[in-house]
Amino acid sequence: MTALLLIPLLLPFVMPLLVRRALDRLAPAVALWALTAVALVLAGACVAALGALVLTGLLKLPALAALGELVHPLRTPSGYLVLPAAAIATGLLTIGAWALARSALRQTRAFRTARAEADRRPAAGDLCVVDSPHPDAYALPGRPHRIVVTTAMLRSLGPAERDALFSHERAHNRSGHHYFLAAAELAAHCHPALRPVRTGIRLAAERAADETAAAAMGDRRLLARAIARAALAGQTARSTRPDFAPAATTGPVPRRVAALLAAPAGHTRRSMCGIALLLAACAALSATAATTGAVAFHHEVEIAQGEEPR
C-alpha cells in the first residue's frame, strides 16, 4: 500500500518535460485543456496519497487506534517506514494548505480591489479605462466581464494596436481562461513539481487568446506588434491585478510574438496523439495508484476493526 501511495507523489516530476512537448505539439487551446485536466488529476491524487499516509501513521498509534475503534493498531509492513512517511506527509499537507490559504486570501483581496475600481469607472461596453501612470491591461472576470486598461497603456499604443490588444483580452473573457489559471494555481500548491505546469498553462492561455484574436482580426503582424509594444511599456510597471486575471503582457512574450509572426503551426496527428496519450497515461496511472492505495488502506482499517479476518 505504501509503495502505491508513493507513485502519485513521484509522477508530477515528469510533467515539466511533458509540458514542453504539449506546448510544442498541441494547438494552444487543446494544450490548455489537456494540461489543466492533467494538473488537477495529479494534484488530487497527490493530496489523496498524502492524506492516506497521514491516516496510516496515525492509526498505528495505540491511542488513536482506540479512538478509531480498532481492535489493534493498523498493521503495516514496517513502522520504521510508515511513521516517518506519515510525519513528512503531515508537514507537506500543512505547508501546502497554509500557502494555498494565504494565496487565496491575497488573490481574493486583489480581485475585490480591481473589481471595485472597475465598477466605479464609467464603462464603454466591456471596456473600463483607469487613470494611472502605470501601463497595464488585463481581462477581469466577473459579472459583467471587463477589459481594464490604464491611460498610460492607451498612450503607449496606436489606435489599431489598441483594438488588437482589446481583441486579445476579449478572447480571454469569452473562453473563461481565468478558470484555467485558478485551477493551475490550485494545483501548484498541491505539489511543487506542478509549478512548471502552472507556467505552461498560463502560456497556453495566452497563446490560445493570441490565435483567437489573430483569427478575428485577420492580421497576425498587427497583433504581434501590439503585444510586443504593450509588454515593453508595462515591463517596469507593478500590477496589482489578481494572478488569475489574464493579461496580454504576461508569459514569454518573445516566444508568443515569434509564433504570431510565423505561419500557424501544423501539427501532425501522430505527434498530437503521442503527447496526448502520454498525458492521459500519466494522469490515469496517478489516479489509479492513489485510488488503489486508498482502497487498500480502507481494507486494512476494516481488518484492524475486526470486521474481516486476515
Short mmCIF file of all heavy atoms in Angstrom, two decimals, residues 6-53:
data_model
loop_
_atom_site.label_atom_id
_atom_site.label_comp_id
_atom_site.label_asym_id
_atom_site.label_seq_id
_atom_site.Cartn_x
_atom_site.Cartn_y
_atom_site.Cartn_z
N LEU A 6 3.25 6.18 -3.07
CA LEU A 6 4.40 6.98 -3.50
C LEU A 6 4.33 7.35 -4.97
O LEU A 6 4.93 8.35 -5.40
CB LEU A 6 5.70 6.22 -3.22
CG LEU A 6 6.06 5.99 -1.74
CD1 LEU A 6 7.35 5.19 -1.64
CD2 LEU A 6 6.19 7.32 -1.01
N ILE A 7 3.60 6.57 -5.76
CA ILE A 7 3.53 6.84 -7.21
C ILE A 7 2.93 8.21 -7.50
O ILE A 7 3.50 8.98 -8.30
CB ILE A 7 2.74 5.72 -7.92
CG1 ILE A 7 3.53 4.40 -7.84
CG2 ILE A 7 2.48 6.09 -9.38
CD1 ILE A 7 2.79 3.21 -8.44
N PRO A 8 1.78 8.59 -6.90
CA PRO A 8 1.26 9.93 -7.18
C PRO A 8 2.17 11.07 -6.71
O PRO A 8 2.04 12.19 -7.20
CB PRO A 8 -0.08 9.95 -6.39
CG PRO A 8 -0.43 8.53 -6.19
CD PRO A 8 0.87 7.81 -6.04
N LEU A 9 3.07 10.77 -5.78
CA LEU A 9 3.99 11.80 -5.30
C LEU A 9 5.19 11.97 -6.21
O LEU A 9 5.84 13.03 -6.21
CB LEU A 9 4.46 11.46 -3.88
CG LEU A 9 3.36 11.24 -2.83
CD1 LEU A 9 3.98 10.90 -1.48
CD2 LEU A 9 2.47 12.47 -2.72
N LEU A 10 5.50 10.94 -7.01
CA LEU A 10 6.67 10.99 -7.88
C LEU A 10 6.32 11.36 -9.31
O LEU A 10 7.14 11.98 -10.01
CB LEU A 10 7.38 9.62 -7.86
CG LEU A 10 7.94 9.18 -6.51
CD1 LEU A 10 8.54 7.78 -6.61
CD2 LEU A 10 8.99 10.17 -6.01
N LEU A 11 5.14 11.00 -9.77
CA LEU A 11 4.78 11.26 -11.17
C LEU A 11 4.82 12.74 -11.57
O LEU A 11 5.18 13.05 -12.71
CB LEU A 11 3.40 10.68 -11.46
CG LEU A 11 3.35 9.22 -11.92
CD1 LEU A 11 1.92 8.78 -12.14
CD2 LEU A 11 4.17 9.02 -13.18
N PRO A 12 4.42 13.69 -10.70
CA PRO A 12 4.49 15.09 -11.13
C PRO A 12 5.87 15.55 -11.58
O PRO A 12 5.97 16.53 -12.32
CB PRO A 12 4.03 15.85 -9.88
CG PRO A 12 3.12 14.90 -9.19
CD PRO A 12 3.75 13.55 -9.39
N PHE A 13 6.93 14.84 -11.16
CA PHE A 13 8.28 15.28 -11.55
C PHE A 13 8.56 15.06 -13.04
O PHE A 13 9.54 15.60 -13.55
CB PHE A 13 9.32 14.55 -10.70
CG PHE A 13 9.35 15.01 -9.26
CD1 PHE A 13 8.76 14.25 -8.26
CD2 PHE A 13 9.93 16.22 -8.92
CE1 PHE A 13 8.77 14.66 -6.94
CE2 PHE A 13 9.93 16.65 -7.59
CZ PHE A 13 9.36 15.87 -6.60
N VAL A 14 7.74 14.26 -13.72
CA VAL A 14 7.94 14.08 -15.16
C VAL A 14 7.16 15.12 -15.97
O VAL A 14 7.31 15.20 -17.18
CB VAL A 14 7.52 12.66 -15.61
CG1 VAL A 14 8.21 11.60 -14.76
CG2 VAL A 14 6.01 12.48 -15.55
N MET A 15 6.33 15.90 -15.30
CA MET A 15 5.46 16.83 -16.02
C MET A 15 6.18 17.96 -16.74
O MET A 15 5.74 18.38 -17.80
CB MET A 15 4.42 17.40 -15.06
CG MET A 15 3.27 16.45 -14.76
SD MET A 15 2.41 15.89 -16.26
CE MET A 15 1.71 17.44 -16.85
N PRO A 16 7.28 18.53 -16.20
CA PRO A 16 7.93 19.61 -16.95
C PRO A 16 8.30 19.22 -18.38
O PRO A 16 8.14 20.01 -19.31
CB PRO A 16 9.18 19.91 -16.10
CG PRO A 16 8.75 19.58 -14.71
CD PRO A 16 7.86 18.37 -14.85
N LEU A 17 8.78 17.99 -18.57
CA LEU A 17 9.12 17.53 -19.92
C LEU A 17 7.86 17.40 -20.77
O LEU A 17 7.85 17.81 -21.95
CB LEU A 17 9.84 16.19 -19.85
CG LEU A 17 10.20 15.54 -21.20
CD1 LEU A 17 11.12 16.45 -22.00
CD2 LEU A 17 10.85 14.18 -20.96
N LEU A 18 6.79 16.88 -20.21
CA LEU A 18 5.55 16.72 -20.96
C LEU A 18 4.92 18.07 -21.29
O LEU A 18 4.29 18.23 -22.34
CB LEU A 18 4.57 15.86 -20.17
CG LEU A 18 4.98 14.41 -19.93
CD1 LEU A 18 3.89 13.66 -19.16
CD2 LEU A 18 5.29 13.70 -21.25
N VAL A 19 5.08 19.04 -20.40
CA VAL A 19 4.53 20.37 -20.65
C VAL A 19 5.18 20.99 -21.87
O VAL A 19 4.50 21.54 -22.75
CB VAL A 19 4.72 21.28 -19.41
CG1 VAL A 19 4.43 22.74 -19.75
CG2 VAL A 19 3.82 20.83 -18.28
N ARG A 20 6.50 20.91 -21.96
CA ARG A 20 7.20 21.48 -23.12
C ARG A 20 6.74 20.82 -24.41
O ARG A 20 6.52 21.49 -25.42
CB ARG A 20 8.71 21.33 -22.94
CG ARG A 20 9.29 22.22 -21.84
CD ARG A 20 10.81 22.27 -21.93
NE ARG A 20 11.41 20.97 -21.65
CZ ARG A 20 11.76 20.57 -20.44
NH1 ARG A 20 11.56 21.36 -19.40
NH2 ARG A 20 12.32 19.39 -20.25
N ARG A 21 6.61 19.51 -24.39
CA ARG A 21 6.18 18.81 -25.60
C ARG A 21 4.73 19.14 -25.96
O ARG A 21 4.39 19.27 -27.13
CB ARG A 21 6.35 17.31 -25.41
CG ARG A 21 7.82 16.88 -25.33
CD ARG A 21 7.96 15.38 -25.32
NE ARG A 21 9.35 14.97 -25.33
CZ ARG A 21 9.76 13.71 -25.36
NH1 ARG A 21 8.86 12.72 -25.38
NH2 ARG A 21 11.04 13.42 -25.37
N ALA A 22 3.89 19.26 -24.95
CA ALA A 22 2.49 19.58 -25.22
C ALA A 22 2.35 20.97 -25.85
O ALA A 22 1.57 21.16 -26.79
CB ALA A 22 1.68 19.51 -23.92
N LEU A 23 3.11 21.94 -25.35
CA LEU A 23 3.04 23.28 -25.90
C LEU A 23 3.57 23.34 -27.33
O LEU A 23 3.12 24.15 -28.14
CB LEU A 23 3.83 24.25 -25.01
CG LEU A 23 3.24 24.50 -23.62
CD1 LEU A 23 4.20 25.33 -22.78
CD2 LEU A 23 1.89 25.19 -23.72
N ASP A 24 4.52 22.47 -27.65
CA ASP A 24 5.10 22.45 -29.00
C ASP A 24 4.23 21.69 -30.00
O ASP A 24 4.19 22.04 -31.18
CB ASP A 24 6.50 21.83 -28.97
CG ASP A 24 7.51 22.72 -28.26
OD1 ASP A 24 7.26 23.93 -28.19
OD2 ASP A 24 8.54 22.19 -27.79
N ARG A 25 3.54 20.63 -29.54
CA ARG A 25 2.88 19.72 -30.47
C ARG A 25 1.37 19.84 -30.51
O ARG A 25 0.74 19.33 -31.44
CB ARG A 25 3.27 18.28 -30.12
CG ARG A 25 4.76 18.02 -30.20
CD ARG A 25 5.09 16.58 -29.91
NE ARG A 25 6.52 16.34 -29.93
CZ ARG A 25 7.10 15.15 -29.76
NH1 ARG A 25 6.32 14.08 -29.55
NH2 ARG A 25 8.42 15.02 -29.78
N LEU A 26 0.77 20.47 -29.53
CA LEU A 26 -0.68 20.61 -29.50
C LEU A 26 -1.09 22.03 -29.83
O LEU A 26 -0.34 22.99 -29.57
CB LEU A 26 -1.23 20.23 -28.12
CG LEU A 26 -1.03 18.79 -27.64
CD1 LEU A 26 -1.58 18.63 -26.23
CD2 LEU A 26 -1.68 17.80 -28.59
N ALA A 27 -2.27 22.17 -30.42
CA ALA A 27 -2.82 23.51 -30.61
C ALA A 27 -2.99 24.18 -29.25
O ALA A 27 -3.27 23.49 -28.26
CB ALA A 27 -4.16 23.41 -31.33
N PRO A 28 -2.82 25.49 -29.16
CA PRO A 28 -2.85 26.15 -27.85
C PRO A 28 -4.10 25.85 -27.02
O PRO A 28 -3.99 25.58 -25.82
CB PRO A 28 -2.76 27.64 -28.21
CG PRO A 28 -2.02 27.66 -29.50
CD PRO A 28 -2.46 26.44 -30.24
N ALA A 29 -5.27 25.89 -27.64
CA ALA A 29 -6.50 25.62 -26.88
C ALA A 29 -6.54 24.18 -26.38
O ALA A 29 -6.97 23.92 -25.25
CB ALA A 29 -7.72 25.92 -27.75
N VAL A 30 -6.08 23.25 -27.21
CA VAL A 30 -6.05 21.84 -26.80
C VAL A 30 -5.05 21.65 -25.67
O VAL A 30 -5.31 20.93 -24.69
CB VAL A 30 -5.71 20.94 -28.00
CG1 VAL A 30 -5.59 19.48 -27.57
CG2 VAL A 30 -6.77 21.08 -29.09
N ALA A 31 -3.88 22.26 -25.80
CA ALA A 31 -2.86 22.16 -24.76
C ALA A 31 -3.39 22.74 -23.44
O ALA A 31 -3.11 22.20 -22.36
CB ALA A 31 -1.59 22.89 -25.18
N LEU A 32 -4.13 23.82 -23.52
CA LEU A 32 -4.68 24.44 -22.31
C LEU A 32 -5.61 23.47 -21.57
O LEU A 32 -5.49 23.28 -20.36
CB LEU A 32 -5.42 25.72 -22.68
CG LEU A 32 -6.10 26.48 -21.55
CD1 LEU A 32 -5.08 26.93 -20.52
CD2 LEU A 32 -6.87 27.68 -22.10
N TRP A 33 -6.53 22.87 -22.30
CA TRP A 33 -7.44 21.92 -21.68
C TRP A 33 -6.71 20.70 -21.15
O TRP A 33 -6.96 20.24 -20.02
CB TRP A 33 -8.51 21.49 -22.69
CG TRP A 33 -9.64 22.44 -22.82
CD1 TRP A 33 -9.76 23.44 -23.76
CD2 TRP A 33 -10.80 22.52 -22.00
NE1 TRP A 33 -10.94 24.13 -23.57
CE2 TRP A 33 -11.60 23.59 -22.50
CE3 TRP A 33 -11.25 21.80 -20.91
CZ2 TRP A 33 -12.82 23.93 -21.93
CZ3 TRP A 33 -12.47 22.14 -20.33
CH2 TRP A 33 -13.24 23.19 -20.84
N ALA A 34 -5.81 20.15 -21.95
CA ALA A 34 -5.11 18.92 -21.56
C ALA A 34 -4.25 19.14 -20.33
O ALA A 34 -4.29 18.34 -19.37
CB ALA A 34 -4.27 18.41 -22.73
N LEU A 35 -3.45 20.19 -20.32
CA LEU A 35 -2.56 20.44 -19.19
C LEU A 35 -3.33 20.74 -17.92
O LEU A 35 -2.94 20.30 -16.82
CB LEU A 35 -1.61 21.59 -19.52
CG LEU A 35 -0.57 21.31 -20.60
CD1 LEU A 35 0.25 22.57 -20.89
CD2 LEU A 35 0.35 20.17 -20.19
N THR A 36 -4.42 21.48 -18.04
CA THR A 36 -5.21 21.80 -16.85
C THR A 36 -5.85 20.54 -16.27
O THR A 36 -5.83 20.33 -15.05
CB THR A 36 -6.31 22.83 -17.19
OG1 THR A 36 -5.70 23.99 -17.77
CG2 THR A 36 -7.07 23.23 -15.94
N ALA A 37 -6.41 19.71 -17.13
CA ALA A 37 -7.04 18.48 -16.65
C ALA A 37 -6.03 17.57 -15.96
O ALA A 37 -6.28 17.03 -14.87
CB ALA A 37 -7.72 17.74 -17.82
N VAL A 38 -4.87 17.39 -16.59
CA VAL A 38 -3.84 16.52 -16.01
C VAL A 38 -3.33 17.10 -14.70
O VAL A 38 -3.11 16.37 -13.71
CB VAL A 38 -2.69 16.31 -17.00
CG1 VAL A 38 -1.54 15.55 -16.35
CG2 VAL A 38 -3.19 15.54 -18.22
N ALA A 39 -3.13 18.41 -14.64
CA ALA A 39 -2.65 19.04 -13.41
C ALA A 39 -3.62 18.82 -12.26
O ALA A 39 -3.21 18.53 -11.13
CB ALA A 39 -2.42 20.53 -13.64
N LEU A 40 -4.91 18.94 -12.53
CA LEU A 40 -5.90 18.74 -11.47
C LEU A 40 -5.94 17.29 -11.00
O LEU A 40 -6.06 17.02 -9.80
CB LEU A 40 -7.28 19.17 -11.97
CG LEU A 40 -7.50 20.69 -12.12
CD1 LEU A 40 -8.87 20.97 -12.71
CD2 LEU A 40 -7.33 21.40 -10.79
N VAL A 41 -5.83 16.35 -11.95
CA VAL A 41 -5.82 14.94 -11.57
C VAL A 41 -4.60 14.62 -10.72
O VAL A 41 -4.69 13.96 -9.67
CB VAL A 41 -5.87 14.04 -12.81
CG1 VAL A 41 -5.63 12.57 -12.44
CG2 VAL A 41 -7.21 14.18 -13.52
N LEU A 42 -3.43 15.09 -11.15
CA LEU A 42 -2.20 14.83 -10.40
C LEU A 42 -2.25 15.48 -9.02
O LEU A 42 -1.80 14.90 -8.03
CB LEU A 42 -0.99 15.34 -11.18
CG LEU A 42 -0.65 14.60 -12.47
CD1 LEU A 42 0.57 15.23 -13.13
CD2 LEU A 42 -0.41 13.13 -12.22
N ALA A 43 -2.79 16.69 -8.95
CA ALA A 43 -2.89 17.37 -7.66
C ALA A 43 -3.83 16.63 -6.72
O ALA A 43 -3.52 16.43 -5.54
CB ALA A 43 -3.37 18.81 -7.87
N GLY A 44 -4.98 16.20 -7.24
CA GLY A 44 -5.91 15.46 -6.41
C GLY A 44 -5.35 14.14 -5.92
O GLY A 44 -5.52 13.76 -4.76
N ALA A 45 -4.66 13.43 -6.82
CA ALA A 45 -4.06 12.15 -6.44
C ALA A 45 -2.97 12.35 -5.39
O ALA A 45 -2.82 11.55 -4.46
CB ALA A 45 -3.49 11.45 -7.67
N CYS A 46 -2.21 13.42 -5.53
CA CYS A 46 -1.14 13.72 -4.57
C CYS A 46 -1.71 13.99 -3.18
O CYS A 46 -1.23 13.45 -2.18
CB CYS A 46 -0.33 14.92 -5.06
SG CYS A 46 0.93 15.49 -3.91
N VAL A 47 -2.77 14.81 -3.11
CA VAL A 47 -3.39 15.11 -1.82
C VAL A 47 -3.99 13.85 -1.21
O VAL A 47 -3.88 13.60 0.00
CB VAL A 47 -4.46 16.20 -1.99
CG1 VAL A 47 -5.25 16.39 -0.71
CG2 VAL A 47 -3.80 17.52 -2.39
N ALA A 48 -4.63 13.02 -2.04
CA ALA A 48 -5.22 11.78 -1.53
C ALA A 48 -4.14 10.84 -0.98
O ALA A 48 -4.32 10.22 0.07
CB ALA A 48 -6.01 11.09 -2.64
N ALA A 49 -3.01 10.75 -1.70
CA ALA A 49 -1.93 9.88 -1.24
C ALA A 49 -1.33 10.38 0.07
O ALA A 49 -1.08 9.60 1.00
CB ALA A 49 -0.84 9.80 -2.31
N LEU A 50 -1.11 11.69 0.17
CA LEU A 50 -0.59 12.25 1.42
C LEU A 50 -1.56 12.03 2.57
O LEU A 50 -1.16 11.70 3.70
CB LEU A 50 -0.30 13.73 1.24
CG LEU A 50 0.89 14.10 0.35
CD1 LEU A 50 0.96 15.61 0.15
CD2 LEU A 50 2.20 13.59 0.93
N GLY A 51 -2.85 12.22 2.30
CA GLY A 51 -3.84 12.00 3.35
C GLY A 51 -3.88 10.56 3.82
O GLY A 51 -3.99 10.29 5.03
N ALA A 52 -3.76 9.61 2.88
CA ALA A 52 -3.75 8.19 3.26
C ALA A 52 -2.50 7.87 4.08
O ALA A 52 -2.57 7.09 5.04
CB ALA A 52 -3.81 7.32 2.00
N LEU A 53 -1.37 8.46 3.72
CA LEU A 53 -0.16 8.24 4.51
C LEU A 53 -0.29 8.78 5.92
O LEU A 53 0.15 8.16 6.90
CB LEU A 53 1.04 8.88 3.80
CG LEU A 53 1.55 8.17 2.54
CD1 LEU A 53 2.61 9.01 1.86
CD2 LEU A 53 2.11 6.80 2.89
#
